[in-house]
Amino acid sequence: MDCNKKNCELAPDTCEALVAAVGAANVKVTEGGVTVTVCSTEQVAAVAKIAKKAKVTAAVCGNTPITVTFSEEMQKVEVVPEDYAVKAKAGATFQAVIDAAAAQGLILGAQPFHAARTTVGEWMGSNTPGYGSYKYGTARDAVLNLEVVLKDGTVIETGYDDIGAYMSAYNLNQIFAGSEGAIGIITSATLKAYPAGVTKSFAYEIAGGLAEADAAVQALIRHPNLKPMRFTLQVADGKTMLFLDYQGAQAFVDTDAAETDAILEANGGKKSDAVYKPACYKFKAVIPIANLAKSNAKMAMIVDRYTALVSSDSMDDIKATIETCGGRKACGWAFADGNIEKIHDEATSKFMRDLTGFLAEPNVDDIAKSGDKLSRAYNDAIHEKLVEAVGKDNVNESGPERLLYCHDLAPLPKLAGIAFDNIPDVVVRPSTTAQIAAVMKVAYKHGIAVTPRGNSTWGLGGAQPAFRGIVCDCSSKFNKIVVDEKNMTVKVQSGATWKATLDACMAKGFIVGSYPSSFPAATIGAWLSTNGMGIGSFKYGSAKDNVLDMEVILSNGEVLHTGYGDMGNYNSGLNLNQFFVGSEGTACIFGTVTFRIHPMGVIHPLAYDFENLADANPVIQAIIADPSIRPLHIAWSDHYHFEHQKMAGLHAPDVRNLLLVTYQGQENYVDMEIAVTDELAAKFGGKRVDDSIASHEWDERCYEFRARKVGIGEIPAEVIVPAKTWGKFVDECYTGFGVMKMDIGGIIGVMVDNQTTLFMPYYFKDDEMMTGMLAFAFNMYLGDRAEVYGGRSTGYGIFFAGNLDAAHDANTVALMRELKTFLDPHDVMNPGHLVCGMTKFGIGMSHGLSSFMFKMMQTIKKLMPPEHNFENNIKRFKFNKYAEEKAEDRKHVLGRGYE
Ligand SMILES: Cc1cc2nc3c(=O)[nH]c(=O)nc-3n(C[C@H](O)[C@H](O)[C@H](O)COP(=O)(O)OP(=O)(O)OC[C@H]3O[C@@H](n4cnc5c(N)ncnc54)[C@H](O)[C@@H]3O)c2cc1C
């Protein structure tokens, strides 16, 4: 290597540093710079630091002074079948990933069309649809974890290798999709893989162009179950060829084929023997699928139920398509040539550029000071400005009202409030996004804390103010819901409840993908904000996975539009649709959100009884391993759960330990899924119980803690653990109940996805005595145990902000804290939560302090005698029963009152 060569533009000391970092043999002088071959993440980090010092760019592709290439070491691929995951170094070709997975019977969801010449790093940095996108989403949806070297050499990990990144603070997993290398160098990726089954290809011929093929396309996308891997139309010689690939278990693929035949036959299509041949057209646009018929493009790839990526060899065709169909140019290099400004509004494109700059080199020293001189005191002048923003009737400073808004559902003694300035100065009730933006502008200017609030059911103090200020009550008036059947979306203001949204969709034959079991009260914005798991997550992902577009109100009152209304946001720069989820009200307030909704078909719950709860493990694992059956929801309840309901005088089924598996979709598919599940359950000792029991449990899915009827605290210890450890973790919960001398409530929980399971073992707790607080030690105990299995406890709020340090490595946590400052430089968005649990005395609830306190609680709890709160309370609350019996005895007679 000769850095003194004339064509090397790097300073000799930079070259020498590179040689020292990676060895002389791995530094080659090229036209205008050097190419450095790296064999480890540490080397990438060293190169990044050198580049930063020399003020030049180091990147994997593009004409940069330092080009990074990956040695063989950085091309390794490891399949982890039990996690349904592939860990691949960034230099591996995607074909290598596909082949390695196939050897283990797995398939990658989204695959680049040119897999042999696309590396994992390139694919992860793109936000481009590929093969499999219609069924499994794009590259970003496959990410479990990315290891990334930022431009200053910091190495971060965005998620987890063997468990989903739910309730784990700012969602970094999907922000690198579409960054095209602008943020940093991706060094490895852990990707979701799926049981493969078989893949079969089908072709149909339709006379005419896209206009004539449209009826078939619209019918296919409205089918509740058809999910082709390939869904492509090619127009030539006066006809359109439709190519579809179906993947899964043979019987299901055969049914897909039969259903498709029928749809095509009814819509002018003829089955063909043609074999798909890739066609590549230079000019591309992303358009709403509703307008596909108006496009004159030569090819259309159907990306999802909302979006078509159309292409042609003529730019005029594409321009005409955009003019007639709406949509936008598909942007290859979003951050080059002012492209991003052409496809996003001013505020959103500016935000994307600023965010990219920040993430590349997270440094907030300057902006952190910008709020130093703010008064941070609420006064009459601010009151007047709020009145201007939302109207007199929607600004409330009355004492009782403020008291009502000073806490959430957390079952804490009133004394616990003393640690925080939790009584707000004022409660506002906006009804439009513009009003929320106006409130934020006032708060930003004066440094007043704003706590966004839904219906306060979370219980981690997320909606409890830590520094007085303004509570922004989203649920009261910001709750409109508009279902769009034609486009299969629901547009909903973030204060609406999930139940109201689900009801509105079901009335029109659709369901929302997933919702929390607290859906009668839980609001849209809050569940996005906590990135929670819930009912339907197993089939449709979490709330974020169903977002098409949203308004996001930033701390300074700017409003972003993260997507494109009724169309997917592919080839359009960073994926902001998912970025703000998990921020727990500390980064933004959600405005109106547009969700995908799904044709409902039928919903059929089944239930299987097992002698021991852990006996259900092989059935659960076999369901996950099946390439076609996909329950809407999998949940379980153990025998204690039912026994306590009976003891509380409630109706409960006569079962031991119940596995509830609920299917949804077109009836013939649901019947097939039921048949497979019956067979699996019978094989492993599960007895199917009457469907009325399953329906009862499904109907009661939002009343998990029914035994509370006896008037007692009932608290779940929520943890997530890798799905593969389900059976062992059941035992772990029972052991924990014993070790911690808990008053056992029962074990309930849900499967979240192929990698993740949510356990909610719950216990009864004395809410009246201060010592009742000690029972919380079980939550810490179980969180610690979950970590041993590769899991963790979930959510941070005001009380558990210290856990953030346990949930991610130090670099990633530091980045998240800086991200908070970048997003909220005046520290007005729910301060004292998530990234920094802070009491009013200025004592931070740091990880060290919290761990110490929680360990103390555990020790004391273990020394205390076992608890029998439930039994004791039943005796005490017998008076309730008498009162109920008395009420039943008295008959109300119209006009005569009670007799
Ligand atoms: C019986 C029961 C069952 C539950 N089941 C589940 C479950 O299955 N899955 C699950 O994940 N959780 C569950 N939860 C927890 C809780 O109900 C959910 O987290 C729910 O989403 C909270 O909704 P909320 O409107 O009550 O939010 P709140 O408690 O009011 O707020 C929660 C957080 O969201 C923030 N926030 C609220 N609105 C907005 C907004 N518009 N924009 C930005 N941030 C906002 C708040 O600041 C706070 O940090 C359950 C709780 C109970 C009591």
Side-chain angles (χ1 to χ4, degrees):
M1 206 270 326
D2 181 3
C3 274
N4 294 319
K5 272 190 183 174
K6 278 201 185 112
N7 59 356
C8 179
E9 287 174 2
L10 293 179
D13 62 333
T14 304
C15 290
E16 275 157 27
L18 289 171
V19 167
V22 300
N26 293 317
V27 183
K28 299 249 172 336
V29 175
T30 53
E31 196 62 40
V34 295
T35 294
V36 181
T37 305
V38 291
C39 65
S40 66
T41 302
E42 290 71 28
Q43 287 194 350
V44 179
V47 171
K49 281 182 189 150
I50 295 164
K52 187 180 175 213
K53 193 167 167 215
K55 298 198 171 74
V56 296
T57 305
V60 174
C61 43
N63 294 326
T64 51
I66 302 174
T67 304
V68 176
T69 63
F70 294 117
S71 70
E72 247 176 55
E73 197 58 29
M74 292 296 280
Q75 296 172 27
K76 287 198 170 146
V77 176
E78 183 200 350
V79 183
V80 191
E82 65 276 20
D83 287 335
Y84 298 89
V86 183
K87 291 182 191 174
K89 295 285 182 190
T93 66
F94 214 83
Q95 192 59 52
V97 174
I98 294 169
D99 293 344
Q104 301 278 355
L106 298 173
I107 189 168
L108 269 294
Q111 306 172 11
F113 287 115
H114 307 290
R117 58 168 202 254
T118 307
T119 64
V120 168
E122 283 163 0
W123 183 231
M124 289 299 111
S126 79
N127 188 7
T128 313
Y131 181 74
S133 289
Y134 189 86
K135 181 163 184 175
Y136 292 111
T138 54
R140 68 191 187 207
D141 299 297
V143 174
L144 277 170
N145 191 14
L146 294 178
E147 183 188 67
V148 185
V149 176
L150 302 181
K151 292 205 165 170
D152 63 358
T154 310
V155 184
I156 61 156
E157 284 195 52
T158 62
Y160 307 91
D161 284 338
D162 52 4
I163 195 166
Y166 303 96
M167 292 197 182
S168 59
Y170 302 124
N171 179 27
L172 299 175
N173 260 355
Q174 299 191 352
I175 200 65
F176 290 90
S179 67
E180 298 165 352
I183 299 177
I185 296 178
I186 295 170
T187 45
S188 78
T190 307
L191 305 174
K192 293 176 196 167
Y194 300 88
V198 298
T199 301
K200 282 182 136 188
S201 303
F202 304 91
Y204 299 86
E205 184 184 318
I206 302 161
L210 292 176
E212 286 70 25
D214 188 53
V217 171
Q218 299 299 334
L220 287 169
I221 64 173
R222 277 170 176 72
H223 191 289
N225 290 74
L226 288 178
K227 285 276 176 182
M229 294 289 284
R230 186 192 309 289
F231 194 162
T232 299
L233 300 114
Q234 291 178 349
V235 186
D237 307 327
K239 64 183 183 202
T240 300
M241 294 302 304
L242 168 63
F243 295 99
L244 298 163
D245 282 8
Y246 288 111
Q247 167 260 331
Q250 183 72 55
F252 284 81
V253 170
D254 291 345
T255 308
D256 290 344
E259 295 278 324
T260 309
D261 283 352
I263 288 176
L264 266 293
E265 204 181 309
N267 290 286
K270 213 168 64 194
K271 205 155 187 169
S272 156
D273 293 332
V275 175
Y276 173 77
K277 283 202 199 81
C280 191
Y281 297 109
K282 195 168 164 201
F283 303 104
K284 297 189 174 74
V286 185
I287 62 164
I289 207 164
N291 299 337
L292 182 68
K294 294 189 219 156
S295 169
N296 59 352
K298 302 270 187 307
M299 194 169 103
M301 175 189 164
I302 310 304
V303 182
D304 59 20
R305 283 189 172 127
Y306 307 87
T307 325
L309 178 65
V310 296
S311 51
S312 176
D313 47 7
S314 141
M315 189 59 203
D316 288 344
D317 279 358
I318 292 302
K319 276 191 184 147
T321 288
I322 294 174
E323 234 160 67
T324 47
C325 304
R328 64 203 147 75
K329 221 179 107 197
C331 215
W333 290 103
F335 292 101
D337 305 331
N339 280 338
I340 211 80
E341 283 72 18
K342 290 179 201 143
I343 56 171
H344 289 285
D345 62 46
E346 198 184 330
T348 309
S349 50
K350 178 175 181 313
F351 178 79
M352 269 198 203
R353 282 204 187 273
D354 291 350
L355 179 63
T356 309
F358 161 77
L359 285 170
E361 277 185 69
N363 184 341
V364 286
D365 290 352
D366 290 338
I367 52 173
K369 293 186 194 116
S370 69
D372 281 359
K373 295 203 173 116
L374 300 174
S375 72
R376 300 198 182 273
Y378 185 72
N379 55 34
D380 289 349
I382 294 174
H383 168 89
E384 284 311 315
K385 285 183 188 158
L386 291 178
V387 168
E388 243 171 67
V390 295
K392 175 164 76 51
D393 293 344
N394 298 313
V395 179
N396 200 322
E397 287 168 2
S398 87
E401 190 88 4
R402 287 162 50 219
L403 267 184
L404 272 175
Y405 281 84
C406 78
H407 61 95
D408 72 0
L409 204 81
L412 295 174
K414 298 290 159 281
L415 213 58
I418 286 180
F420 306 96
D421 253 335
N422 61 333
I423 302 177
D425 295 303
V426 59
V427 178
V428 296
R429 297 198 176 94
S431 52
T432 64
T433 297
Q435 288 187 353
I436 298 176
V439 169
M440 285 317 306
K441 280 192 175 129
V442 175
Y444 187 80
K445 189 165 171 203
H446 300 281
I448 309 292
V450 177
T451 305
R453 176 177 158 124
N455 277 324
S456 67
T457 66
W458 193 27
L460 299 191
Q464 167 180 322
F467 298 102
R468 309 172 67 97
I470 303 167
V471 165
C472 180
D473 171 355
C474 297
S475 76
S476 291
K477 296 189 170 174
F478 191 58
N479 51 25
K480 290 187 191 61
I481 302 166
V482 179
V483 180
D484 179 346
E485 292 160 88
K486 182 168 167 267
N487 287 309
M488 291 187 276
T489 61
V490 61
K491 285 190 173 50
V492 55
Q493 289 181 325
S494 68
T497 65
W498 284 93
K499 179 166 187 328
T501 311
L502 179 65
D503 285 350
C505 294
M506 284 177 79
K508 302 214 164 155
F510 293 91
I511 55 164
V512 289
S514 56
Y515 47 88
S517 64
S518 50
F519 62 104
T523 57
I524 298 288
W527 204 45
L528 280 165
S529 144
T530 56
N531 191 13
M533 305 145 271
I535 292 156
S537 294
F538 192 71
K539 182 164 184 174
Y540 292 113
S542 63
K544 73 175 188 313
D545 299 308
N546 292 289
V547 172
L548 267 177
D549 189 16
M550 53 165 110
E551 294 166 341
V552 163
I553 301 122
L554 297 179
S555 68
N556 60 3
E558 290 266 18
V559 180
L560 308 182
H561 293 91
T562 61
Y564 295 94
D566 297 328
M567 191 175 61
N569 66 338
Y570 310 106
N571 296 76
S572 60
L574 305 184
N575 175 25
L576 295 183
N577 268 352
Q578 272 86 1
F579 175 61
F580 291 92
V581 300
S583 54
E584 298 185 3
T586 66
C588 73
I589 299 186
F590 294 107
T592 296
V593 184
T594 307
F595 286 106
R596 305 161 198 268
I597 55 177
H598 308 272
M600 184 168 79
V602 298
I603 293 179
H604 193 145
L606 323 166
Y608 301 94
D609 190 18
F610 291 86
E611 187 167 353
N612 303 296
L613 182 59
D615 296 346
N617 185 48
V619 182
I620 291 177
Q621 303 301 339
I623 291 175
I624 296 176
D626 190 284
S628 277
I629 58 173
R630 198 72 197 161
L632 175 67
H633 191 51
I634 304 176
W636 57 87
S637 314
D638 77 343
H639 64 103
Y640 285 117
H641 176 77
F642 297 112
E643 284 158 16
H644 285 123
Q645 286 177 3
K646 284 183 192 156
M647 285 161 77
L650 294 158
H651 166 73
D654 250 335
V655 291
R656 297 162 299 177
N657 303 282
L658 209 68
L659 181 67
L660 182 71
V661 184
T662 303
Y663 286 105
Q664 168 265 332
Q666 192 167 287
E667 199 158 4
N668 55 335
Y669 282 84
V670 168
D671 287 345
M672 286 169 72
E673 291 180 298
I674 291 174
V676 175
T677 315
D678 277 350
E679 209 173 294
L680 290 174
K683 184 170 159 197
F684 297 113
K687 181 175 158 285
R688 180 154 168 198
V689 299
D690 195 89
D691 271 5
S692 60
I693 293 177
S695 295
H696 175 262
E697 289 307 298
W698 173 251
D699 291 345
E700 300 277 286
R701 65 196 181 283
C702 55
Y703 303 113
E704 295 134 319
F705 305 115
R706 305 193 269 283
R708 279 190 83 150
K709 189 165 183 267
V710 302
I712 191 165
E714 197 176 309
I715 307 292
E718 291 186 8
V719 293
I720 53 174
V721 291
K724 66 186 170 199
T725 66
W726 190 89
K728 283 190 193 147
F729 207 77
V730 168
D731 295 338
E732 193 63 59
C733 294
Y734 287 125
T735 307
F737 279 145
V739 171
M740 297 299 294
K741 300 184 185 161
M742 303 309 295
D743 191 1
I744 303 177
I747 300 182
I748 56 174
V750 303
M751 292 311 289
V752 181
D753 58 28
N754 283 3
Q755 288 78 26
T756 320
T757 183
L758 169 66
F759 272 95
M760 294 184 284
Y762 64 90
Y763 50 89
F764 299 112
K765 159 181 172 300
D766 187 343
D767 274 343
E768 289 167 24
M769 301 281 287
M770 199 57 185
T771 48
M773 291 277 289
L774 284 173
F776 282 126
F778 180 69
N779 298 48
M780 325 314 168
Y781 167 90
L782 207 72
D784 291 346
R785 292 309 301 161
E787 271 178 41
V788 174
Y789 288 77
R792 65 208 152 76
S793 42
T794 53
Y796 307 95
I798 202 169
F799 306 118
F800 300 107
N803 278 352
L804 187 62
D805 293 278
H808 298 277
D809 63 70
N811 283 348
T812 310
V813 173
L815 176 70
M816 287 185 177
R817 296 213 160 105
E818 278 163 347
L819 189 53
K820 162 73 175 163
T821 308
F822 165 77
L823 293 166
D824 181 19
H826 290 186
D827 204 18
V828 293
M829 294 269 10
N830 219 2
H833 293 74
L834 178 65
V835 288
C836 148
M838 183 61 76
T839 62
K840 69 177 174 191
F841 311 112
I843 300 169
M845 312 259 285
S846 69
H847 182 54
L849 181 63
S850 322
S851 303
F852 174 72
M853 275 164 40
F854 297 151
K855 284 271 177 302
M856 289 270 292
M857 276 171 83
Q858 286 186 39
T859 309
I860 301 170
K861 178 73 181 74
K862 283 182 202 164
L863 293 173
M864 301 283 281
E867 295 181 58
H868 302 285
N869 303 304
F870 185 77
E871 272 178 48
N872 296 345
N873 253 50
I874 290 183
K875 286 176 207 142
R876 282 176 56 199
F877 275 73
K878 65 181 185 285
F879 301 109
N880 272 2
K881 210 167 134 232
Y882 295 153
E884 279 165 21
E885 281 169 7
K886 203 167 117 195
E888 268 171 31
D889 280 352
R890 294 161 76 200
K891 296 274 172 289
H892 184 263
V893 180
L894 206 61
R896 292 214 304 270
Y898 290 101
E899 293 189 328

